[in-house]
Amino acid sequence: MMDFAVVIALVLCALTVPGFGDTGSGKAQSCSDIRQFYNGNGFSLKGVPLSEISGEHLRICPQGYTCCTSVMEDSLSNLSRTEMQGLIRDAGRAMQASLNGQYKAFDDYLLELLNRSEGVLQESYPPVLGFLYTQNTRVFSDLYTELRRYYRGSNVNIEEVLNEFWARLLERLFKGANGQYLIGDDYLECVAKQSETLRPFGDTPRDLKLKVTRTFVAARSFVQGLVVSGEVVRKVSQVPLSPECMRAIMKMTYCPHCRGVPSARPCANYCANVLKGCLANQADLDTEWRNLADAMLQVANRFEGVSSVNVVVLSLPKRISEAITTMMDNIDTFNTKVFQACGNLREGGTSSTGLEDVKKRGKVTVQDSPTSAARLEKLVSDVSRRLRDIQPYWVSLPSTLCSDRVASRAQADDKCWNGMARARYLPEVMGDGLASQINNPEVEIDITKPDMTIRQQIMQLKIMTNRLRNAFNGNDVDFQDTSDDVSGSGSGMCADDNCARGPRLMAPSTDRPKLYAYPPENKKVVKASANHNLPFITLYLLSLVTLLLRR
């Protein structure tokens, strides 16, 4: 009975033993380190204690003896929030810059191909086709204009563009080859109907329609995928962190300073749990983000080979010239059948067509460009590698943010900060995503309330992936409503909301990204649930009990 009374007395005494600092000594520790750190971050030293004080007032940090007042805790909490949100946005900007670089490289290449192809046509056609080209330059220039518009995302049906080109070309060539006749619009309409069965240009229109459509559908969907990816990163990077997350960030980042152990860095698993909890909604982007990257990789593979984008675009002058030559070589047969179907024409035009002179000049020749093919191969290789690299972005973001913050291996185990003291961190690391955080020991999360902004971006990824898969199969995709799909924010390559409005796929801005404005946030915090001195009291009591039992 006597021993039991002694134990009770000792327990009561132990519970009243004050703890100072992290050393367990009986002397209050100096607060010189945190005073220097606090003042260095622009805060006033007014009210900052010179040595540790009782910490019952703390609402986030452990309530043992501390160097922080309530005002200091609030100030450091705001600082930790600003720093963490800045790190997340910096990571987002780096990702946007990478996607922007891929976009610009591909965009520059494709527009250069179109410009070079049109330049070859303009240089090589006049010497060979003569008046058949010089009198109809608008027909050819309009074709390239419409191809550019389609690529840029305008509401253009590429098959209709090609059909219109061949119809206009047929009309001009037929009138040019029959200049001695008076030809009205009704007669030309009859000629157009006969061309469906007579096929004056041979197989070229059908073959080019297939190749050009596949090429430009793939190209447009690919750059749109890059734009949407950048837009998703931009929007998600601006999603504010929750108050519960910010308490956990503060506890991990600056509570060691308040506790008198500023050199203690977070335990690796502790940081992982904090950031996995804070970025749980972002991690839910992972599946659709990977699906989009996979779909873009598939489409990128279409850019190489015998039907590669450079082959198709650069061969346009040659293929169109071949079609013109086919018609000119068979113009007599074509005329005979047209006259039979549509009736004879009345003379009254010019006396000579000059057609025989055109036939004698030969065919348009276009040199292949091995340099362009090599450049395309490198471009596809670079973008494919980058797409593979970014696939784990959202689930790897916590470890990326923790990599420069956590304790080194030499400080691991019992020397790192575990949220309460400089000691080993015991809880297991949580999985990725919102559903895996139900038992997260560091961040309180309601897994039944996902972030709506992020859910909307997951939907945009799904929509874009579906479009890319259609494009891979050669199906045209209507991009008229693209801006609505990405919430009307324009090009995804802009660094903020002040993007210039213009064509759907305007070349992205390459200016230095601006810092995001930080939205106001509820500073409400909750009281820490554990006392800092508990581990030391427990050890003390165990030692006493062991000693008494030995008696």
Side-chain angles (χ1 to χ4, degrees):
M1 188 68 179
M2 182 66 177
D3 287 346
F4 179 74
V6 171
V7 170
I8 295 299
L10 289 172
V11 168
L12 291 174
C13 290
L15 290 172
T16 62
V17 173
F20 297 91
D22 193 63
T23 62
S25 65
K27 183 179 180 181
Q29 301 295 306
S30 169
C31 292
S32 58
D33 286 340
I34 193 170
R35 285 173 62 87
Q36 181 179 358
F37 169 80
Y38 194 69
N39 188 239
N41 279 278
F43 300 115
S44 171
L45 289 177
K46 182 180 179 180
V48 177
L50 296 173
S51 59
E52 288 183 327
I53 59 176
S54 179
E56 289 84 358
H57 57 279
L58 297 178
R59 294 171 296 175
I60 301 176
C61 295
Q63 292 184 328
Y65 276 76
T66 183
C67 283
C68 289
T69 62
S70 295
V71 172
M72 292 174 67
E73 188 180 43
D74 288 342
S75 298
L76 292 175
S77 179
N78 290 333
L79 177 62
S80 67
R81 177 192 64 198
T82 301
E83 289 176 340
M84 180 55 67
Q85 290 182 334
L87 288 173
I88 293 171
R89 285 171 175 143
D90 285 345
R93 290 188 187 101
M95 175 60 70
Q96 281 184 271
S98 176
L99 292 168
N100 177 53
Q102 301 301 325
Y103 173 97
K104 190 174 187 306
F106 186 84
D107 185 65
D108 288 348
Y109 176 79
L110 188 65
L111 293 178
E112 183 181 314
L113 281 181
L114 282 167
N115 291 339
R116 192 192 313 173
S117 177
E118 186 174 20
V120 167
L121 186 147
Q122 291 170 344
E123 292 174 6
S124 61
Y125 274 33
V128 178
L129 298 179
F131 80 96
L132 289 179
Y133 174 73
T134 56
Q135 293 180 5
N136 301 296
T137 55
R138 184 68 180 271
V139 175
F140 300 98
S141 63
D142 283 352
L143 171 63
Y144 283 92
T145 297
E146 290 302 295
L147 289 176
R148 290 187 186 92
R149 289 187 64 233
Y150 175 84
Y151 167 69
R152 283 300 192 194
S154 297
N155 187 26
V156 174
N157 185 307
I158 195 161
E159 292 191 5
E160 290 180 2
V161 166
L162 294 170
N163 290 338
E164 176 69 13
F165 167 74
W166 292 114
R168 290 176 66 191
L169 185 60
L170 172 64
E171 176 184 314
R172 302 302 176 86
L173 293 180
F174 183 78
K175 290 175 71 174
N178 296 280
Q180 70 275 29
Y181 298 113
L182 293 174
I183 305 175
D185 290 341
D186 290 342
Y187 198 90
L188 289 175
E189 190 173 320
C190 180
V191 172
K193 291 180 180 179
Q194 295 306 309
S195 68
E196 295 175 6
T197 55
L198 297 179
R199 295 167 58 194
F201 296 117
D203 293 330
T204 300
R206 183 180 300 174
D207 184 52
L208 268 187
K209 180 187 289 188
L210 177 63
K211 291 180 178 179
V212 170
T213 299
R214 281 184 175 271
T215 296
F216 277 82
V217 166
R220 186 166 76 162
S221 65
F222 183 78
V223 294
Q224 187 68 10
L226 291 172
V227 169
V228 170
S229 299
E231 180 70 7
V232 168
V233 172
R234 185 182 73 84
K235 288 199 168 191
V236 173
S237 296
Q238 294 182 79
V239 171
L241 299 175
S242 68
E244 292 77 15
C245 166
M246 292 323 307
R247 284 195 288 272
I249 294 293
M250 166 60 188
K251 190 175 182 181
M252 178 179 74
T253 307
Y254 291 127
C255 284
H257 289 72
C258 292
R259 194 67 189 91
V261 286
S263 62
R265 307 189 75 182
C267 301
N269 288 353
Y270 172 44
C271 185
N273 276 342
V274 170
L275 269 297
K276 279 176 180 283
C278 286
L279 301 175
N281 280 283
Q282 287 83 338
D284 282 346
L285 286 157
D286 181 63
T287 298
E288 294 305 325
W289 181 260
R290 289 176 184 271
N291 288 341
L292 178 63
D294 284 338
M296 292 180 68
L297 284 168
Q298 284 186 317
V299 172
N301 290 331
R302 285 222 179 267
F303 297 147
E304 296 184 298
V306 293
S307 297
S308 66
V309 61
N310 66 306
V311 172
V312 171
V313 174
L314 293 180
S315 68
L316 284 175
K318 181 179 179 181
R319 299 303 308 278
I320 294 171
S321 171
E322 290 172 351
I324 294 173
T325 301
T326 298
M327 180 172 177
M328 292 299 98
D329 288 345
N330 298 284
I331 190 63
D332 293 336
T333 303
F334 182 73
N335 279 347
T336 299
K337 293 183 178 181
V338 166
F339 294 160
Q340 290 174 352
C342 302
N344 293 323
L345 289 167
R346 183 165 56 89
E347 292 189 5
T350 59
S351 58
S352 174
T353 64
L355 185 59
E356 292 302 322
D357 186 44
V358 171
K359 290 181 179 180
K360 292 177 182 178
R361 296 182 187 184
K363 298 180 180 180
V364 173
T365 58
V366 180
Q367 297 294 325
D368 293 332
S369 177
T371 303
S372 177
R375 184 178 166 194
L376 176 62
E377 183 179 352
K378 184 179 185 305
L379 188 65
V380 172
S381 174
D382 289 346
V383 73
S384 297
R385 181 177 65 254
R386 186 57 189 145
L387 286 171
R388 293 187 185 95
D389 290 343
I390 69 173
Q391 283 187 319
Y393 175 74
W394 296 109
V395 292
S396 65
L397 191 55
S399 61
T400 300
L401 296 175
C402 281
S403 60
D404 295 330
R405 305 171 68 90
V406 300
S408 63
R409 291 186 178 181
Q411 287 184 306
D413 299 334
D414 58 342
K415 292 185 179 180
C416 57
W417 175 255
N418 68 3
M420 298 300 297
R422 189 157 52 181
R424 185 186 298 272
Y425 184 75
L426 299 179
E428 63 178 352
V429 177
M430 299 292 102
D432 299 313
L434 188 61
S436 299
Q437 309 309 311
I438 189 169
N439 293 317
N440 191 310
E442 308 306 332
V443 185
E444 184 179 347
I445 301 174
D446 186 349
I447 66 171
T448 65
K449 296 180 179 179
D451 183 271
M452 288 298 101
T453 297
I454 292 178
R455 297 295 139 174
Q456 290 171 0
Q457 298 313 302
I458 290 174
M459 182 57 63
Q460 301 317 312
L461 293 175
K462 289 182 178 180
I463 292 170
M464 191 65 241
T465 298
N466 184 58
R467 289 177 169 175
L468 283 159
R469 287 171 178 166
N470 275 308
F472 177 75
N473 293 323
N475 299 323
D476 198 358
V477 186
D478 180 16
F479 278 81
Q480 174 64 16
D481 297 326
T482 294
S483 61
D484 295 333
D485 292 338
V486 291
S487 303
S489 53
S491 171
M493 296 306 164
C494 298
D496 54 29
D497 286 323
N498 299 319
C499 299
R501 297 298 188 262
R504 293 283 188 263
L505 298 181
M506 283 296 291
S509 170
T510 54
D511 294 337
R512 182 185 180 92
K514 300 176 183 178
L515 289 176
Y516 297 96
Y518 295 103
E521 188 173 304
N522 189 350
K523 295 183 179 180
K524 182 181 69 175
V525 292
V526 295
K527 186 173 181 180
S529 59
N531 191 293
H532 176 80
N533 293 318
L534 186 58
F536 305 103
I537 294 173
T538 303
L539 292 173
Y540 183 53
L541 291 177
L542 287 173
S543 300
L544 290 175
V545 172
T546 302
L547 179 64
L548 290 172
L549 289 175
R550 287 182 177 178
R551 294 177 55 188

